[in-house]
Amino acid sequence: MSIVSTAKRIGRLSSYLESKGFSVEEVTELADVEGIVAEAEKPYLTSMNSPLQNDFTRANSLWLVARKNGVPAFVGCAKLEDLLDEEVTQYWSRLFKRHYGRHGEITHSLPMVDRELRGRLVYFGDLFVSRQFRGSLPALRAFVAIGHSAVSLKWDPDWTYCFIRERDVMRGASSLYGFTRVFGNPFDWGEKPPPPRNGTEWLVAVPRSDVSTSCEATIRTVLQTSSSNYEKREV
């Protein structure tokens, strides 16, 4: 994906959002994240993405917020995880234990996950839609596509991924968020999953090769689809 085409894609998506009254900005001061999350009335910020609990810098993290009338409507975080040749489930095991203690043990991982997700990864997490904007489906798609495009410009990862509860995957959340690959039951928790984690989580991901087509599909839909049913669907 060329830098020029990616930048143009961000421009088209940003223009669409502006036409709907939204403005998108990168949160350059990490100290502001907690306040923005609170203003959006997000009930929690996961420890793995909290600037207060991680040594994040502008080089290894990216926070985006979309505002409407000054109010945070959508918030999302991406962080770089450059694994080189380490298996991703080995990395997760270490990460979860650090953040969740003994409750963070994972077992019986899906071999396909280690075969597929390798190298330079980006975790896309803590995506949140403020309650008053949960009917803004096209705008949310555009915001997430900007996130994928910004991630590509910043890091050009081999894969971008996140975890989504099974019920939301069944409702189409993985496609809505621009992820083209799904892995059911990527691993089991050694015991009851630590809050806010959930035992039904699926791994959803998008490889570098799919980001462009995924974002273009979003542009085609939000710019050319005028169906009132699409505009009014709940998120």
Side-chain angles (χ1 to χ4, degrees):
M1 185 188 308
S2 74
I3 293 176
V4 172
S5 62
T6 304
K8 287 182 177 179
R9 188 174 300 119
I10 291 175
R12 294 178 69 190
L13 291 163
S14 297
S15 294
Y16 167 78
L17 285 172
E18 288 172 4
S19 74
K20 300 299 181 180
F22 295 90
S23 62
V24 180
E25 62 187 53
E26 180 180 354
V27 182
T28 56
E29 295 298 331
L30 294 175
D32 294 339
V33 168
E34 295 282 339
I36 292 171
V37 167
E39 191 178 357
E41 299 183 340
K42 190 178 189 300
Y44 64 85
L45 182 59
T46 60
S47 64
M48 290 188 295
N49 289 333
S50 171
L52 298 180
Q53 296 175 270
N54 296 273
D55 294 324
F56 287 150
T57 68
R58 294 182 188 177
N60 65 12
S61 66
L62 173 69
W63 278 91
L64 295 177
V65 57
R67 298 179 183 271
K68 189 169 187 177
N69 300 323
V71 178
F74 315 131
V75 181
C77 170
K79 63 176 183 176
L80 177 65
E81 300 172 332
D82 198 342
L83 303 189
L84 295 178
D85 58 353
E86 181 179 7
E87 292 187 341
V88 68
T89 54
Q90 182 180 11
Y91 165 72
W92 288 337
S93 179
R94 188 172 68 254
L95 180 71
F96 295 161
K97 285 180 181 178
R98 184 169 72 251
H99 284 274
Y100 304 129
R102 64 181 182 84
H103 300 287
E105 181 180 1
I106 59 174
T107 61
H108 307 297
S109 59
L110 189 67
M112 184 184 302
V113 171
D114 280 324
R115 290 198 300 269
E116 294 284 333
L117 269 69
R118 305 188 67 85
R120 193 175 178 86
L121 310 183
V122 165
Y123 175 66
F124 202 131
D126 275 284
L127 180 64
F128 183 73
V129 182
S130 182
R131 183 171 298 277
Q132 62 181 300
F133 299 103
R134 291 186 182 175
S136 307
L137 181 59
L140 175 60
R141 281 194 68 181
F143 174 74
V144 176
I146 287 175
H148 282 299
S149 298
V151 162
S152 293
L153 280 179
K154 192 176 183 75
W155 297 305
D156 189 27
D158 296 296
W159 290 84
T160 301
Y161 74 95
C162 74
F163 298 103
I164 300 178
R165 294 185 181 190
E166 183 177 66
R167 69 182 184 188
D168 295 323
V169 172
M170 295 298 104
R171 293 169 58 191
S174 54
S175 297
L176 169 65
Y177 298 150
F179 295 100
T180 59
R181 311 290 178 88
V182 294
F183 303 84
N185 192 32
F187 52 75
D188 293 326
W189 294 96
E191 51 184 79
K192 186 177 180 180
R197 306 309 297 263
N198 185 282
T200 69
E201 287 176 341
W202 286 35
L203 167 68
V204 299
V206 57
R208 178 191 290 115
S209 59
D210 288 358
V211 172
S212 177
T213 53
S214 176
C215 291
E216 287 293 343
T218 294
I219 291 174
R220 183 171 59 251
T221 299
V222 301
L223 296 186
Q224 299 179 8
T225 301
S226 59
S227 167
S228 60
N229 288 333
Y230 183 82
E231 291 286 339
K232 294 181 180 180
R233 276 179 56 197
E234 288 291 325
V235 176

